[in-house]
Amino acid sequence: MDATDTIRSTDGGAESRRFEADVSRLLHLMVHSVYSDRDVFLRELIANAADACEKLRTLSLQDGSLLGDDPRLRITVEADKEARTLTVADNGIGMSREEMHEALGTIARSGTKAFLEQLGEKADGSRLIGQFGVGFYSAFMVADRVEVVSRRAGADTAWCWSSDGLGTYTVEARPLEDAPARGTRVILHLSEDGASYAESWTVERIVKAHGSAVPVPIEFVEAGGEAKTLADGTALWTRPKSSITPEEHKAFYQSLGGQFDDPAMTLHWRAEGRHEYAVLAYVPSTPPFALFDPMRKGRLKLYVRRMFIADDIDILPGYLRFVCGIVDSADLPLNLSRETIQESPILGAIRKGVTNRILSDLEKLAETDPGTYTKVWEAFGAVLKEGLYEDFERRDALYKLARFSTSTHPGGARSLKDYIEALRPNQTAIWYLVGDDKDRLAASPHLEGFRARGIEVLLLSDPVDAFWVNAAMGFEGKPFKSVTQGSADIDLVPPLGEDAAAPRAEVDAKAATLLVFFKETLEGHVADVRASTRLSDSACCLVAGEGGPDRGLERLLAASGRASDPAKPILEINAGLPLVRRLAERFAGGGDRAALADAAHLFLDQARAAEGLPPLDPAASARRLNALLAQSLG
Ligand code: ADP
Ligand code: MG
């Protein structure tokens, strides 16, 4: 922070600084918040106190003297109705003066940054508060003034941070006799309409609801009264599965940070045998913020025998980054460096075991509760699909989890197994269509011939689809094939319905010569012009050659600047269409070549339009259309 931010500073005395701009904005929001679930502030303060205790517990493994003569880490919540204050105290790590400036004057927290980004220019973010953990500053939802008195473990100075949340804060030295022997006291001077948070029953209710999620005991003191224990600090995951209520799970899940919904799925198990560890993890029901941020990592916190070690160790593969929770290992040594942990074979075994188990639990959920599973897939399918090209070892497991929208089931929830069960006679491939817009995919002319034959086509509209499907080897012996690529060998699949005439690749001699003429006319723009098996109502479509990338993938590569030299597409014409037959007649009868050449260009332009592409030459295209209109009017 530079000197201009310091408003008043005297040697050893009080120093006032302006909050970082983002903090001011956040505070303004907190102070003016009309958010109804203001209880969250207490959860945030308790979570901070618990973090501080866990940090000290971990540090004390190296330096036992840090605990001094007070080894029992705990959180104390004190309510004083007379004074209208609420205090959350801990005997954890505490903060130095610099740490106070850093932690309580700026926004270091990624969740809060995310909150502000989401907020954008909107003035009222009160609805968003419930969806993000906004941390310490949420205290200003209920307090006019907040004091934080802290003494860092092992330090011989104590400091007091205080602010009314209106732009500046002050940090000053605090005599040791007025400070905790170690740790932090956060004192809220409650505002008039926050006064109920000095009522013991209100505070007890909130603490009880969230306390069982906190791995540190919590005591409650009413001014002048005795301390009573509200939560014993038993780590939730060490308790028998059947003794944990859904409310406790929800509270724990939310205490993990970042999620404020109900978990869609709870995973809780203990691995025994060669490696022993416990896992308590959750699949959220709504996507967490920045799910597609490439920097986003898995979110399992690592504990060793109930000691918090780190929350940034890679335990889950990237495609499970939406899962949050903890892993508590019984085997890892406590004093390893982060690097050594990352490379430890024990962690390797945990990674493998946890990943496999999550996939198999998801599969079980799909069987036992398809409704919930469908929701999970809708929220996280696009992420899980990354595993299809990143994790070959588990591809089969991931195939079982994948769900699709298809041409016959546009509502989604189709599995590959369903697809295989619905194969049509003589169907040799799993057909798919890639694009970025689900509705446009469903309306694509490429699907018509497939529809006429009752062949189901997977409609793939997630950005990752083009990549995995391109690398996919096939499922149950059937290769994946794009309906926009190569010749669609579906001639042998019988049409649905008795008299439905499905388009066929063979054409009569007249149509064949017209197609040759079209090809010559469009030379340089297309690699070939041929009759289509794909089309039944539309006149034409573009497809990719057999060898090259699928049309959808090509567009994606082009958009990301990775396409070298896009291959020329093939224009397929519906030779069975009366319009095309009449054009063929006219051509055979020596009709006007210029008008027929215009028709060739207009076919190409409409095939491009169906893919959302502009005409090759918009001005020429308009001229051709108008000429045609003029002609048809006589
Ligand atoms: P977060 O907890 O996600 O980091 P907060 O806004 O809740 O974000 O807190 C900001 C920072 O303030 C914490 O990271 C921590 O460094 C510091 N802090 C807050 N409360 C305490 C406390 N009771 N003891 C020690 N440090 C604390
Ligand atoms: Mg916090």
Side-chain angles (χ1 to χ4, degrees):
M1 192 151 300
D2 77 52
T4 56
D5 288 318
T6 301
I7 292 173
R8 183 165 56 88
S9 176
T10 48
D11 288 338
E15 181 186 9
S16 297
R17 289 188 187 178
R18 237 179 270 288
F19 287 112
E20 188 186 64
D22 274 347
V23 179
S24 288
R25 217 166 134 226
L26 190 64
L27 283 169
H28 181 83
L29 198 77
M30 292 300 159
V31 173
H32 296 95
S33 172
V34 289
Y35 183 59
S36 59
D37 188 9
R38 295 192 299 175
D39 295 2
V40 294
F41 85 89
L42 189 49
R43 185 165 79 203
E44 295 287 344
L45 297 183
I46 288 177
N48 285 348
D51 288 348
C53 291
E54 297 226 285
K55 277 182 205 156
L56 180 60
R57 179 145 62 190
T58 306
L59 278 183
S60 70
L61 298 173
Q62 317 284 344
D63 179 1
S65 72
L66 287 173
L67 290 176
D69 57 3
D70 183 17
R72 199 173 69 85
L73 294 164
R74 63 193 179 280
I75 300 168
T76 310
V77 181
E78 296 165 29
D80 187 336
K81 212 172 146 185
E82 292 283 284
R84 215 208 277 162
T85 58
L86 178 67
T87 302
V88 179
D90 65 72
N91 59 351
I93 183 81
M95 276 178 277
S96 67
R97 179 179 175 212
E98 289 69 38
E99 284 166 332
M100 277 183 164
H101 281 300
E102 179 63 28
L104 308 180
T106 64
I107 295 185
R109 191 176 196 269
S110 62
T112 312
K113 282 221 188 303
F115 171 81
L116 286 168
E117 267 164 37
Q118 189 84 332
L119 187 64
E121 292 304 306
K122 270 177 281 173
D124 176 27
S126 48
R127 266 194 23 249
L128 280 171
I129 296 175
Q131 295 163 32
F132 290 88
V134 282
F136 169 77
Y137 301 109
S138 61
F140 288 98
M141 286 199 285
V142 298
D144 291 332
R145 199 157 67 82
V146 177
E147 280 176 282
V148 181
V149 182
S150 193
R151 178 170 171 186
R152 173 128 188 148
D156 51 11
T157 45
W159 299 91
C160 176
W161 178 102
S162 69
S163 176
D164 56 8
L166 297 177
T168 61
Y169 65 91
T170 302
V171 175
E172 63 190 314
R174 169 65 63 105
L176 289 183
E177 58 276 18
D178 279 344
R182 180 185 74 218
T184 304
R185 295 173 62 83
V186 179
I187 304 148
L188 310 189
H189 298 271
L190 298 167
S191 61
E192 220 161 287
D193 62 341
S196 65
Y197 291 103
E199 305 269 4
S200 50
W201 67 271
T202 308
V203 179
E204 280 190 48
R205 172 182 60 81
I206 304 170
V207 174
K208 273 192 186 139
H210 300 288
S212 62
V214 177
V216 178
I218 306 176
E219 289 172 353
F220 176 69
V221 185
E222 198 176 350
E226 292 274 290
K228 65 176 165 185
T229 302
L230 293 187
D232 64 3
T234 313
L236 198 61
W237 60 90
T238 62
R239 285 176 31 196
K241 235 174 134 157
S242 57
S243 76
I244 307 174
T245 65
E247 289 71 33
E248 286 175 312
H249 274 304
K250 181 176 173 179
F252 182 63
Y253 162 72
Q254 297 192 338
S255 77
L256 293 166
Q259 291 293 133
F260 288 80
D261 51 354
D262 286 273
M265 181 182 179
T266 298
L267 304 120
H268 185 192
W269 78 92
R270 204 179 307 279
E272 267 145 17
R274 236 165 78 75
H275 297 287
E276 275 180 37
Y277 56 88
V279 176
L280 179 52
Y282 303 90
V283 174
S285 51
T286 53
F289 187 80
L291 187 57
F292 288 98
D293 181 342
M295 296 307 288
R296 200 186 163 90
K297 293 269 173 65
R299 300 192 302 155
L300 286 193
K301 295 185 182 184
L302 181 64
Y303 283 71
V304 171
R305 293 186 287 286
R306 295 205 39 217
M307 298 285 180
F308 172 69
I309 302 297
D311 57 7
D312 55 355
I313 303 266
D314 286 329
I315 300 176
L316 292 178
Y319 62 86
L320 290 177
R321 61 184 175 273
F322 54 90
V323 176
C324 56
I326 65 93
V327 177
D328 188 353
S329 161
D331 317 320
L332 275 170
L334 269 170
N335 51 358
L336 291 183
S337 73
R338 184 178 312 276
E339 290 68 35
T340 329
I341 295 178
Q342 290 279 19
E343 276 145 32
S344 137
I346 300 177
L347 191 76
I350 291 177
R351 259 189 208 123
K352 192 167 163 189
V354 173
T355 305
N356 289 343
R357 174 69 183 251
I358 291 177
L359 294 185
S360 71
D361 276 10
L362 282 168
E363 194 185 328
K364 254 183 240 149
L365 180 72
E367 280 158 21
T368 55
D369 185 355
T372 302
Y373 181 73
T374 302
K375 288 204 192 98
V376 168
W377 180 263
E378 278 166 8
F380 305 113
V383 179
L384 277 163
K385 279 191 280 193
E386 291 171 14
L388 289 172
Y389 65 88
E390 280 173 10
D391 192 348
F392 295 104
E393 228 176 283
R394 298 192 182 83
R395 190 144 66 182
D396 286 335
L398 288 161
Y399 275 151
K400 286 190 197 148
L401 295 177
R403 295 292 180 273
F404 300 94
S405 294
T406 71
S407 54
T408 54
H409 293 77
R414 286 288 274 181
S415 68
L416 289 175
K417 194 163 152 268
D418 298 334
Y419 185 101
I420 293 292
E421 277 163 13
L423 281 183
R424 298 274 295 140
N426 300 330
Q427 183 181 343
T428 54
I430 298 172
W431 293 97
Y432 68 85
L433 178 59
V434 177
D436 46 18
D437 181 294
K438 214 172 232 160
D439 295 333
R440 196 185 298 143
L441 286 182
S444 167
H446 295 96
L447 296 177
E448 293 168 359
F450 291 83
R451 282 218 171 89
R453 292 178 168 88
I455 302 172
E456 186 168 11
V457 177
L458 308 178
L459 304 177
L460 307 178
S461 58
D462 284 322
V464 311
D465 284 325
F467 297 100
W468 73 260
V469 84
N470 204 45
M473 303 300 291
F475 178 77
E476 299 206 349
K478 298 278 183 281
F480 288 93
K481 282 185 99 174
S482 164
V483 305
T484 67
Q485 182 175 32
S487 55
D489 47 356
I490 52 173
D491 257 0
L492 295 175
V493 178
L496 272 190
E498 301 250 308
D499 37 32
R504 310 192 64 84
E506 304 103 64
V507 290
D508 61 27
K510 282 180 184 162
T513 37
L514 177 71
L515 296 184
V516 171
F517 170 72
F518 276 10
K519 183 179 174 184
E520 286 164 8
T521 306
L522 299 175
E523 171 96 62
H525 301 307
V526 298
D528 195 8
V529 178
R530 68 185 181 209
S532 182
T533 52
R534 284 169 246 254
L535 301 171
S536 63
D537 297 325
S538 299
C540 54
C541 66
L542 288 171
V543 304
E546 200 75 60
D550 152 83
R551 297 277 304 154
L553 176 59
E554 193 170 88
R555 267 204 305 283
L556 240 142
L557 291 173
S560 63
R562 271 184 284 175
S564 41
D565 190 16
K568 292 198 172 50
I570 295 163
L571 178 65
E572 287 199 353
I573 304 276
N574 181 354
L577 212 63
L579 165 69
V580 177
R581 286 216 296 273
R582 286 181 51 197
L583 285 171
E585 291 290 339
R586 181 158 308 174
F587 185 81
D592 176 4
R593 289 301 185 259
L596 287 161
D598 277 354
H601 281 285
L602 287 170
F603 277 136
L604 175 57
D605 285 345
Q606 61 169 287
R608 289 175 58 85
E611 294 187 358
L613 298 172
L616 275 177
D617 178 348
S621 185
R623 184 182 46 70
R624 289 183 185 115
L625 255 178
N626 290 338
L628 210 70
L629 278 174
Q631 209 181 27
S632 73
L633 293 171

